[in-house]
Amino acid sequence: AEALGLPFVPPYLSGRSAEDFAGGANFAVGGATALSPDFFWENGVPAFRADTVHLDMEIEWFRDLLDLLCPGDVADEIDCMDMMSKSLFLVGEIGGNDYNLPLFYGVPFEKIRTFTPSIIAKISSTIAELVELGAKTLLVPGNLPIGCIPAYLTTYKSDMMEDYEPETGCIRWMNEFSQYHNKLLVDELENLRKLHPGVVIIYADYYGAAMEIFSSPEQFGIEDPLMACCGGGGPYGVSASAGCGHGDYKVCNDPQKYASWDGFHPTEATYKGIANGLLRGSYTQPPISTTSSCPQTTELASSLEYKVLYDM
């Protein structure tokens, strides 16, 4: 948003009128999943609460927003379709929370892996629904390298060197799982492009952009890529007795030197590195700077270097 000169979008649940959403809306909710709790209950994962927010609920909220923005007469409908065609839809990152609870509750990994096709199918049907409603430009991120998350590094700590990537220290099999999810997503996005040739569907490679940070953290000013800035003790700043905001936790002096904020979520320094990787075009397919349906992105190639340097 900063690089494109756009305002931050307000949370959908905080708005009341059409004016509140003049610049867009954010439907994200902490802990939200792609799939409903019913899916997990049916697959023997009881940890999900009945009130867990999921994609079907979020797309319903979006339809409610359209009713608010487009009351119903012909002029409003035309304006609404024009707005949809000129808007950028960020669909994701989605799926991480579908894996988090099962992984932390000890569900066998082979079982968790079987969830991925259903997660990808739900993302796909959501994109198709947005396209049907008039969306023309969609940015769809893949999953992050979960093997580099301090909480997972602590929970799945191993004495076997082959379980770790030598160049990063991340857990190999967990990163391979992230790549598996992303491969299925990329393949499905290609199918959607064939079904909707007039729509620009951009894949955002969060994994690749983030791995640059874990492979060469010093280039991003990061000194502790696998340590939580806010948390407990242990080699990764994560412990069972203390976490960020509870127990005897500690906060680092400079979050910009860490890749992880609380053992789960990236710091702003990490997000900035990922965003720069996407906006420069090397970690989006097709490159953002070559897309034409969203005017702001076509102007980005000439202005990005200035904006990034100004931001630093």
Side-chain angles (χ1 to χ4, degrees), residues 251-300:
V251 181
C252 67
N253 292 327
D254 187 358
Q256 296 300 309
K257 295 181 179 179
Y258 291 74
S260 175
W261 164 241
D262 58 359
F264 295 94
H265 303 95
T267 58
E268 288 192 17
T270 300
Y271 277 126
K272 182 176 179 179
I274 293 172
N276 285 341
L278 301 180
L279 294 172
R280 292 181 189 279
S282 57
Y283 288 105
T284 55
Q285 305 168 13
I288 286 179
S289 58
T290 66
T291 60
S292 58
S293 22
C294 189
Q296 290 93 336
T297 60
T298 60
E299 299 167 3
L300 188 60

Side-chain angles (χ1 to χ4, degrees), residues 100-118:
N100 286 337
L101 270 181
L103 282 167
F104 282 118
Y105 273 81
V107 177
F109 174 66
E110 294 74 16
K111 178 74 172 178
I112 296 172
R113 188 180 170 93
T114 67
F115 300 164
T116 307
S118 297

Side-chain angles (χ1 to χ4, degrees), residues 59-263:
I59 196 71
E60 193 60 37
W61 291 345
F62 179 69
R63 287 183 173 276
D64 290 343
L65 177 61
L66 284 185
D67 289 341
L68 182 66
L69 297 176
C70 315
D73 60 45
V74 175
D76 283 333
E77 186 172 338
I78 293 173
D79 288 343
C80 206
M81 291 301 293
D82 185 59
M83 174 195 70
M84 291 285 289
S85 68
K86 293 179 179 178
S87 297
L88 174 65
F89 291 82
L90 178 58
V91 188
E93 166 266 343
I94 296 170
N97 290 321
D98 296 73
Y99 303 129
N100 286 337
L101 270 181
L103 282 167
F104 282 118
Y105 273 81
V107 177
F109 174 66
E110 294 74 16
K111 178 74 172 178
I112 296 172
R113 188 180 170 93
T114 67
F115 300 164
T116 307
S118 297
I119 292 169
I120 300 303
K122 178 56 66 177
I123 295 171
S124 177
S125 66
T126 300
I127 293 170
E129 191 165 351
L130 289 170
V131 170
E132 183 180 341
L133 290 169
K136 294 295 184 183
T137 307
L138 304 99
L139 182 70
V140 187
N143 275 0
L144 292 160
I146 63 173
C148 304
I149 294 176
Y152 282 134
L153 285 161
T154 300
T155 301
Y156 290 94
K157 186 178 180 181
S158 172
D159 293 328
M160 302 176 66
M161 292 299 296
E162 58 267 30
D163 285 340
Y164 296 91
E165 299 170 348
E167 64 275 15
T168 64
C170 303
I171 299 174
R172 187 192 307 275
W173 64 268
M174 298 197 86
N175 277 357
E176 289 174 349
F177 178 52
S178 293
Q179 291 175 293
Y180 167 69
H181 171 102
N182 293 340
K183 173 65 165 59
L184 265 58
L185 178 61
V186 167
D187 290 345
E188 183 58 26
L189 295 183
E190 187 56 35
N191 292 335
L192 288 168
R193 291 186 188 105
K194 293 175 182 177
L195 291 171
H196 307 286
V199 176
V200 177
I201 301 175
I202 307 165
Y203 172 66
D205 183 9
Y206 278 17
Y207 182 98
M211 285 306 291
E212 276 209 15
I213 298 170
F214 293 111
S215 298
S216 303
E218 67 283 352
Q219 295 185 16
F220 298 85
I222 291 174
E223 297 177 359
D224 292 292
L226 304 182
M227 170 77 73
C229 167
C230 179
Y236 302 108
V238 176
S239 71
S241 60
C244 190
H246 66 86
D248 187 21
Y249 73 97
K250 299 178 180 179
V251 181
C252 67
N253 292 327
D254 187 358
Q256 296 300 309
K257 295 181 179 179
Y258 291 74
S260 175
W261 164 241
D262 58 359

